[in-house]
Every structure is written in structure tokens, then in C-alpha cells.
Amino acid sequence: MIKRDDMTFPAEEYERRLGDLRARIAERHLDAVVISDPENIMYLTDYQTTGYSFFQALVVPLEKEPFMITRALEESNVIARTWVEVTRPYPDTGDAIQMLVDALREFGLSNKRIGYERNSYFFPAYHQDVIRTTLKDGKLLDCFGIVEEGRVCKSAVEIELMKKAAFATEAGMAAGIAACHAGATENEIGAAISAGMFCAGGEPPAVMPYVTSGPRTMIGHATWEGRVIQPNEHIFLEVGGCYRRYHTAMMRTVVLGELTDSMYKAQETMKQALNAVHRMVQPGMTVSDVDNMVRNIITDNDIGARLITRSGYSIGIAFPPSWDEGYIVSLKQGESTVLKEGMTFHVIPWMWGVDGDKTCGISDTIYITDDGCRSFFDMDRDFSVKPNDAEKPQLIGINDIKMPKSEPTKPESIELPTSKENTKSAKKKGECYVNS
């Protein structure tokens, strides 16, 4: 292992993660594991790339030095980012799985008990068939989840890092709310959110923001498609801020014109659910306990709404196509996973079908403490109610956004001119152009 001081976390953090993984390898009576999931590879090594559609793998023997198989181009990421010393890159004209098999033979692992992530998006059935027919002397065993066992509870340094993602989340949401007005397009709001996140130090998230308005809020996982916001409509926003691939997420709702009785009831019901989470959730509860608590509050309404999904999911490291770790653990009925300190969740007591034609949301990202839970955010949860004739915003100041509890460093200067007319104003310290 190369000892370096320019990785996301101190070298000791990666040594701990690798040691914990090897303990689980030994528990499962394996000699090595082949890790192909991009989130797991980053968790163990700090390696990241957008080129993970090409096969890549980290091989971790029980005792010998780990090594990586990557496309030749991506070897630069191993060298520039990680502690890994040994790589076996393959050219674009080469065979990735044959390179893996050759490396396993080279390092004396071809006749051993080897674990692999059978359910990984990025180790498809075709590749698994090839390695099974090629590596005939070894024993291949599914070890899916062996890294996730370590990822599910975040360390203290991970929690602190996620606070920087939370700062970007709040900045993006504030910018998006400011951009909402009658006559704006969903695209303009999405652009404002993106600029807000990135100006606040955020990095490209696993999923771009969700922005829907009026009747389009009833479409699951829809986002901006150029629709023009009309007077007396509402806008549903969901933003996932990212820093070093770690995410936090939040939902908020903007209402133009008057807040109807039904929408007020929805707001108060969702706030009640989140208040219950912060009052009751603690280590020792099961995820189904939490889901039942949230679901019972949301279900008890007279405005026709329901909680159509799980009530939350684990969140942390993510690459596209999703920012959640829900496949590791989700807040849903019938699950017996017990909450532990360090777990992080996006709690989503959103309401689908208010008055039969509206969806709205207020959500929170929390981390489990030794005796309860705490939010990553400071932003107000109430709906943002704005007059129909609200003026079109021009600038949002980074300095106007509350800093998270960890006090991450603000950007000293941000320049984001988008036209000759606003170039001069965009150069002003601490401001970012978010809406044209």
C-alpha cells in the first residue's frame, strides 16, 4: 500500500477498511475477492472514474497485495488517486476477463476459493460465464455484500465529509427555490439548482436534480422537460448534493399563489413525520419500526395522499444511475435490519396524490448517533409560498446560505458568467449566476 496524503481520507482510514474486509474474507473462508462495484472500489481505494461501463475490478487477496484490473486509459486514475501499487491494464483491443484470469494465475489465486459480486451491475452474466468456463481449477463463490457490510455504518470522517455534500445540497435547493416563479421553465430551475450546488463546492451527483411542476409532479422520477410554470401551481424539488462521491439529499416544495388547506395539511403531516423521526429514531430500532412510524403518520390524512414508496434508504457513496444505497438497507416494511450508530438515511415522508393530482415532499438526510439521530441540514422545512407576481431572480449569494455544522471552507471567489450582460455582476465575490 502506497502511503499518500492526497486522498479523500487519511491513509489510516483505508487501512482500517481493508483490514475489516479481510476479516470478513476470512470469516467466509475465502482466499480472495474480486470487487467490481464502482462504489465498493472507491470505498476501499479512493478510485473513481466515469468510465466504469468498461470492466474494472479490485482483487483483494486474504494476505497478498491487492491489485486492479482496468482499461488502459483508466490506469491513470489508479496512479493519480489511490494507494494501489499493482495494476494489470488491458487495451481496448484486449479481453478484460482474460486479463483478470491471467492475473489470478500470475498471483497464485487461480486454484483458490474466490469470491465475486454476483449481483454487481458491472459484472454481467456474460462475463461471469466466461470466467467460470475459463478458471476451472478454482472455486467461485458469491460474496455480494461483503464490502457493503463495512459501508453501511459511516465513520466519523465520512460523516464530516457528508456535511460538505449537505452544504452543496442546501445551496442547490436555495437556488432552485429562488428560481421558481410563474413563467419560468423547469429547465431554468434545474439550471439554477445545478449552478447553486457547483458554486458551493459540489461535484457532479449520481442523479441530476428532480424538478416537476403542476400535474407533472404525479409522474415518478420525472424531471425537467421544458414545461413553463403556471400561476397557482406548485413545484416539487429533490436535490442530491455530492462531494467526493458522497451524497445527501432533500425534497422541498414551492407553492405559487395561495397555500390551500390541502397543501397546508400535507406540509404539517410531513413535518410531523420528520419530527417523530428526530424524536424517536435511535440505535436498536429496526428499519421496519421506522417505516411503520412514518407510514402511519402519512397515511392518517383526509387529503387523498399516500406514501407510495419505502420511507427512506441508506445514502452515501454513489455513481450514476442512482444516489441511494437502498440495496444495502432501506426503511421499509418486513425488514429486520437494526439501526446502528453511523448509519445514514434519506428519510422521505413524501405525499403522492394530494387532492388526487399533486405530489409534494419534505425530506431529510440524517445520521444515527449513539443515542438518537441528527440532520445534516439547517434549511427550513415549510413549503416556500410565493406570490404569482414574484420577480424573476438574477443572483443568489453563496454567503446567504447557512454553513453546515462542520464549517467547511467557502469558495473564495466564483465566476460563472453566462452572457455579456451579467459578466460583470457574476464576478462579484461570493455570487453565482443561477437564472437567465
Side-chain angles (χ1 to χ4, degrees):
M1 176 182 285
I2 301 171
K3 293 292 183 72
R4 51 193 300 175
D5 59 6
D6 60 345
M7 294 189 292
T8 300
F9 299 109
E12 294 76 21
E13 175 76 0
Y14 296 101
E15 290 174 346
R16 179 192 64 78
R17 295 176 183 185
L18 187 61
D20 290 349
L21 173 62
R22 280 179 162 151
R24 294 191 291 273
I25 292 172
E27 287 175 1
R28 298 197 188 193
H29 301 281
L30 298 171
D31 297 299
V33 292
V34 177
I35 304 302
S36 55
D37 184 272
E39 288 87 355
N40 289 342
I41 294 174
M42 181 171 184
Y43 174 77
L44 293 169
T45 69
D46 210 26
Y47 172 92
Q48 64 163 300
T49 176
T50 59
Y52 50 82
S53 57
F54 285 82
F55 180 79
Q56 57 187 19
L58 171 71
V59 180
V60 181
L62 184 58
E63 297 177 347
K64 296 180 180 179
E65 190 70 19
F67 58 91
M68 283 193 68
I69 309 297
T70 68
R71 185 186 181 199
L73 173 64
E74 307 302 343
E75 186 185 26
S76 59
N77 281 293
V78 181
I79 296 167
R81 300 179 185 275
T82 81
W83 52 259
V84 177
E85 298 184 64
V86 182
T87 64
R88 292 296 181 267
Y90 60 89
D92 284 5
T93 55
D95 186 325
I97 301 304
Q98 188 59 54
M99 179 63 75
L100 172 62
V101 171
D102 290 345
L104 291 171
R105 287 172 176 159
E106 176 186 354
F107 295 105
L109 297 171
S110 61
N111 60 347
K112 303 295 184 180
R113 294 168 57 93
I114 300 171
Y116 71 103
E117 296 174 308
R118 187 170 182 266
N119 201 35
S120 171
Y121 287 163
F122 304 98
F123 196 4
Y126 170 75
H127 283 163
Q128 294 180 28
D129 289 345
V130 171
I131 195 170
R132 282 189 173 278
T133 57
T134 306
L135 202 67
K136 296 182 178 179
D137 295 331
K139 182 176 288 187
L140 296 173
L141 301 165
D142 182 16
C143 70
F144 183 77
I146 196 168
V147 178
E148 287 85 348
E149 288 182 48
R151 282 175 52 197
V152 68
C153 291
K154 278 63 174 180
S155 65
V157 291
E158 287 178 287
I159 296 295
E160 288 303 307
L161 188 85
M162 289 179 70
K163 291 177 182 178
K164 295 184 179 182
F167 181 52
T169 304
E170 288 193 312
M173 184 63 77
I177 291 171
C180 290
H181 64 90
T185 67
E186 294 175 346
N187 296 44
E188 290 173 329
I189 298 169
I193 294 170
S194 302
M197 288 194 299
F198 300 154
C199 286
E203 296 165 0
V207 183
M208 291 299 285
Y210 291 107
V211 180
T212 54
S213 59
R216 292 191 68 247
T217 62
M218 292 291 290
I219 305 173
H221 282 142
T223 191
W224 64 79
E225 293 182 14
R227 183 179 185 273
V228 177
I229 312 301
Q230 303 300 313
N232 300 310
E233 288 190 332
H234 75 294
I235 304 98
F236 172 84
L237 306 174
E238 186 175 11
V239 176
C242 174
Y243 187 79
R244 299 296 186 269
R245 304 314 318 155
Y246 282 80
H247 292 69
T248 60
M250 70 158 65
M251 297 175 179
R252 291 293 186 269
T253 303
V254 180
V255 174
L256 302 184
E258 296 294 324
L259 183 65
T260 65
D261 289 344
S262 293
M263 289 294 275
Y264 175 75
K265 289 179 179 179
Q267 169 189 275
E268 295 304 303
T269 300
M270 290 184 286
K271 287 167 59 181
Q272 180 186 350
L274 289 175
N275 289 338
V277 167
H278 282 279
R279 186 174 64 252
M280 301 297 295
V281 168
Q282 64 181 32
M285 294 179 69
T286 67
V287 294
S288 60
D289 290 337
V290 181
D291 180 80
N292 287 332
M293 178 180 67
V294 172
R295 192 170 301 279
N296 288 339
I297 293 171
I298 296 299
T299 301
D300 185 18
N301 73 80
D302 60 0
I303 54 177
R306 61 191 174 110
L307 179 55
I308 196 172
T309 63
R310 58 194 171 172
S311 61
Y313 47 79
S314 179
I315 190 168
I317 299 175
F319 289 84
S322 179
W323 66 44
D324 76 271
E325 298 177 336
Y327 73 97
I328 301 177
V329 59
S330 286
L331 304 179
K332 62 183 181 180
Q333 298 175 57
E335 294 289 324
S336 60
T337 302
V338 175
L339 299 185
K340 297 178 182 179
E341 182 179 358
M343 286 183 170
T344 52
F345 293 97
H346 183 205
V347 184
I348 50 172
W350 62 313
M351 300 186 75
W352 187 84
V354 176
D355 293 334
D357 63 355
K358 291 182 282 292
T359 294
C360 53
I362 306 172
S363 72
D364 196 7
T365 298
I366 65 170
Y367 56 99
I368 308 300
T369 65
D370 60 345
D371 61 355
C373 69
R374 186 171 297 177
S375 176
F376 282 101
F377 303 128
D378 294 316
M379 181 174 283
D380 189 78
R381 294 175 187 159
D382 283 342
F383 290 179
S384 295
V385 182
K386 306 174 74 171
N388 283 316
D389 59 355
E391 293 185 3
K392 189 175 182 179
Q394 294 297 319
L395 291 169
I396 184 168
I398 293 298
N399 294 326
D400 294 334
I401 301 168
K402 286 185 179 181
M403 296 293 288
K405 300 175 181 66
S406 60
E407 298 284 336
T409 304
K410 296 181 187 179
E412 290 186 2
S413 179
I414 296 169
E415 299 184 14
L416 191 62
T418 56
S419 71
K420 290 181 180 179
E421 295 174 354
N422 61 43
T423 296
K424 181 178 288 187
S425 62
K427 289 183 178 180
K428 186 177 179 182
K429 182 178 180 181
E431 292 187 337
C432 179
Y433 191 82
V434 296
N435 198 16
S436 58

